[in-house]
Amino acid sequence: MKRRNTIVTLILTLSMVFSTSAFAVFADTAADQDGEQLAKDTPAAEELVNETPEEPAAVTEQAEEVQEQGTEATDNGGVTAAEEPTAETKKSVGIRIGDHDIVKVNGKESDTGWTYDGSGSTKTLTLNNYKAGEYGYIGFYGTDLNIVLVGNNSLMEIINDGRSNKLEISGSGSMTINGSDSRGIRAGTVEIKGGNITIKDVRTGISANNVNISGGELKATNCYYGILASEKISFSGDIHVDIETKRMGSADSPKPAVVSYKEDGIKLSDDVQIVLPEKGKTGKCVDEVHVSEVKKYAGTAITDASGKPAEHVIIEKVAKDRNPSGLLLSKAVAKGKTNMELSWTAMNDVDGYDVFFAPCNSKGKKYEPALVASVDNGTTSYTVSSLKKGTPYKAYVQAYIMKQGSKQYVGTSLLTHAFAGGSSKRFTNPKSVKVKKSKVSVKTGKKYKIRASVRKVKKSKKLIRIGHAPKLRYLSSDTSIATVSKKGKIKGVAPGTCTVYAIAANGVYKAVNVTVK
């Protein structure tokens, strides 16, 4: 009943905004199911409906619901078709979020989880950790709408009744749309330029005349259709789109994940590719992927080599040849009494870094470092706060590249150990490392022993116990030039230059430049 009352309110608002004929158009549109509405002018429309038995019942039920709602609204004293809207009800635009009507054309308005700016020609709705209720949705008409995502948001659907306006989604946040009675995202034109969008358990993930995805991530699962457009669907830029409709189809009647009702309706730019997952794994299948004419749908769909509509496709930015390089060195330095700064050396050609952190094992308790931060390749530090002074913690960093929507680790630092606050009652952190010679030369096959020592934060206290980490560890930047043993013995392998690092328990280090002759 709550859902029905919400729609009744929306119909009343629309009847006040538009003429009698406009209301009739809205009712017809609301009654049409996505595939039937978008393909009603195509020769295959009847065939499509006949071959998808779930749709006719849903269409009939929805049409009856809208008709019943219209009658109920009139019986309850609503504005009828014969009534002339007053000056107060003559509004050219309207937006509803949940149970809240936003009708300010000029000016701003805000509430918990969202802010609205209606001062421009395109209205902007910013969602910032907005959590809708069971029937929470965004409806808009008579205006283009830009939704900016901040934080984590969730709602049931975003709809533009009449499909005559443009919806643009951008930002760096996320949004989840789900609900068995949801229509997903519907508008005249849908443009996705950013954000992380998840759509699940809905009739159609995105339905519009035109769909343009040029940024961000989109995942749609358990949809009758994933992306459906009457005209064009285009993919370009830095995107990752994962669409799956397998649950809704059958072996005899598969439901394409992406379909357009135009023969040339699916466009991919040179910087994106289609991937068909095979046997639960994502693999590039260039020779088996096609954008083909599918007569059943009177347009185009992504299909396999046999012409069978693909029920699970991934469309993503073409991965360039990657050559990650460099030695990943991390260190942990106490900042104040309860903060610890983790920093690391940058690797070349990576997408980002994952930071793992935990208390050190103590009193029979073991702790595994957990992911506490994921940062992009332009960031090489992260501060952990609210720690317990004098408690030892451990951390490490992993560098990753993105491959077919998943992280692939290409570098891992040593595990570092350090006390919050710099020291405990008995022990202290390393402050720096000192070596006798910072430049050495060795002949191929010969050895050189590094003379190194560790300076302490508190001279009167002992260094962190060996049980956490050795007093010093050693790494070579290029083992094809020179290797180094656990005790710091450098051995020349081949002519060239490299760097050997003497590293303390918390990651502070001293570099030794090595030339092999």
Side-chain angles (χ1 to χ4, degrees):
M1 180 60 69
K2 183 177 180 181
R3 169 70 172 167
R4 176 170 295 175
N5 290 339
T6 302
I7 299 179
V8 168
T9 305
L10 181 59
I11 293 176
L12 286 172
T13 305
L14 288 168
S15 65
M16 292 185 285
V17 173
F18 300 111
S19 64
T20 305
S21 59
F23 178 79
V25 171
F26 162 67
D28 290 340
T29 302
D32 287 326
Q33 192 71 346
D34 293 325
E36 187 179 27
Q37 167 68 18
L38 290 171
K40 64 181 181 180
D41 295 327
T42 68
E46 183 178 354
E47 182 181 1
L48 171 62
V49 173
N50 290 338
E51 293 194 18
T52 54
E54 299 93 330
E55 289 285 83
V59 171
T60 302
E61 180 181 354
Q62 190 177 4
E64 291 175 351
E65 183 182 69
V66 171
Q67 183 178 9
E68 181 181 352
Q69 290 162 356
T71 303
E72 182 179 342
T74 303
D75 292 343
N76 283 286
V79 179
T80 65
E83 290 184 83
E84 178 68 18
T86 65
E88 178 64 25
T89 62
K90 289 181 178 178
K91 299 184 183 296
S92 59
V93 298
I95 295 177
R96 169 179 285 270
I97 178 168
D99 293 329
H100 186 106
D101 284 315
I102 304 171
V103 294
K104 288 188 177 181
V105 179
N106 297 309
K108 301 178 180 180
E109 190 165 338
S110 65
D111 204 345
T112 303
W114 57 266
T115 57
Y116 172 69
D117 184 354
S119 59
S121 58
T122 298
K123 315 307 172 188
T124 299
L125 182 65
T126 300
L127 301 181
N128 189 347
N129 293 314
Y130 174 70
K131 308 295 182 185
E134 182 181 0
Y135 298 106
Y137 71 100
I138 296 173
F140 66 104
Y141 57 92
T143 183
D144 294 339
L145 179 64
N146 179 20
I147 295 179
V148 180
L149 300 178
V150 181
N152 301 317
N153 306 278
S154 62
L155 58 151
M156 190 176 74
E157 62 189 5
I158 303 175
I159 53 174
N160 169 227
D161 291 303
R163 286 200 186 99
S164 59
N165 298 106
K166 182 175 77 173
L167 171 68
E168 179 181 304
I169 300 175
S170 60
S172 58
S174 66
M175 176 171 64
T176 299
I177 295 177
N178 73 300
S180 58
D181 196 33
S182 170
R183 288 171 284 179
I185 298 176
R186 298 177 63 180
T189 297
V190 173
E191 293 187 357
I192 297 177
K193 297 182 176 181
N196 190 323
I197 302 168
T198 299
I199 307 175
K200 56 186 179 181
D201 304 321
V202 303
R203 299 174 186 174
T204 298
I206 298 177
S207 60
N209 300 323
N210 296 280
V211 177
N212 178 19
I213 301 177
S214 59
E217 296 190 16
L218 169 67
K219 183 173 183 180
T221 57
N222 291 345
C223 302
Y224 201 87
Y225 295 104
I227 302 177
L228 184 149
S230 61
E231 296 183 14
K232 301 284 184 182
I233 306 173
S234 62
F235 302 95
S236 62
D238 188 4
I239 63 173
H240 183 77
V241 179
D242 189 339
I243 307 293
E244 185 172 9
T245 58
K246 286 184 177 180
R247 186 181 74 87
M248 305 302 295
S250 65
D252 298 329
S253 180
K255 300 297 180 291
V258 180
V259 61
S260 169
Y261 285 94
K262 295 288 184 180
E263 292 182 8
D264 60 345
I266 299 177
K267 301 291 185 183
L268 284 84
S269 64
D270 293 337
D271 59 351
V272 299
Q273 66 182 356
I274 300 174
V275 174
L276 293 185
E278 292 183 301
K279 298 179 181 179
K281 296 181 179 180
T282 301
K284 187 176 180 181
C285 315
V286 176
D287 296 334
E288 299 180 9
V289 178
H290 301 266
V291 177
S292 305
E293 177 182 353
V294 181
K295 292 182 179 179
K296 174 182 175 182
Y297 299 98
T300 53
I302 296 177
T303 71
D304 60 20
S306 67
K308 179 182 177 181
E311 300 169 275
H312 188 186
V313 301
I314 295 174
I315 302 160
E316 62 184 1
K317 183 180 180 180
V318 175
K320 65 177 182 178
D321 292 334
R322 308 300 292 267
N323 185 30
S325 61
L327 195 61
L328 185 59
L329 303 172
S330 68
K331 62 181 178 180
V333 177
K335 295 291 183 181
K337 296 180 180 180
T338 59
N339 294 343
M340 191 174 294
E341 182 183 66
L342 310 176
S343 60
W344 53 90
T345 56
M347 288 186 64
N348 298 317
D349 202 19
V350 298
D351 291 316
Y353 304 92
D354 282 349
V355 181
F356 297 84
F357 190 83
C360 289
N361 299 340
S362 64
K363 298 180 180 179
K365 294 183 179 181
K366 294 185 177 181
Y367 302 93
E368 290 297 326
L371 179 65
V372 294
S374 185
V375 299
D376 61 31
N377 62 356
T379 303
T380 55
S381 67
Y382 179 79
T383 298
V384 184
S385 58
S386 302
L387 302 177
K388 186 176 180 181
K389 182 184 176 182
T391 299
Y393 294 89
K394 55 188 175 183
Y396 68 91
V397 178
Q398 287 191 297
Y400 65 83
I401 61 173
M402 296 302 298
K403 190 172 183 180
Q404 295 174 345
S406 300
K407 291 179 180 178
Q408 177 177 313
Y409 291 116
V410 294
T412 302
S413 74
L414 293 174
L415 188 65
T416 59
H417 301 260
F419 289 101
S423 303
S424 66
K425 291 181 179 180
R426 297 174 55 195
F427 301 97
T428 189
N429 290 340
K431 183 176 181 180
S432 63
V433 175
K434 183 180 179 180
V435 295
K436 188 173 182 178
K437 292 180 67 174
S438 59
K439 292 182 180 181
V440 299
S441 295
V442 295
K443 293 181 179 180
T444 302
K446 299 299 181 179
K447 296 181 180 180
Y448 173 84
K449 176 72 168 67
I450 297 175
R451 308 291 180 181
S453 60
V454 180
R455 294 177 61 195
K456 299 181 288 186
V457 171
K458 294 288 186 181
K459 294 181 180 180
S460 60
K461 297 183 178 183
K462 297 179 180 180
L463 286 171
I464 191 167
R465 288 179 177 178
I466 301 300
H468 292 268
K471 182 178 179 180
L472 283 168
R473 291 169 288 181
Y474 300 91
L475 287 177
S476 172
S477 65
D478 191 341
T479 55
S480 68
I481 301 297
T483 60
V484 62
S485 71
K486 292 182 179 179
K487 294 184 178 181
K489 288 185 178 181
I490 298 172
K491 181 180 180 179
V493 176
T497 59
C498 66
T499 304
V500 171
Y501 299 90
I503 307 169
N506 67 341
V508 296
Y509 63 83
K510 188 69 175 180
V512 177
N513 297 318
V514 179
T515 299
V516 180
K517 298 180 179 179

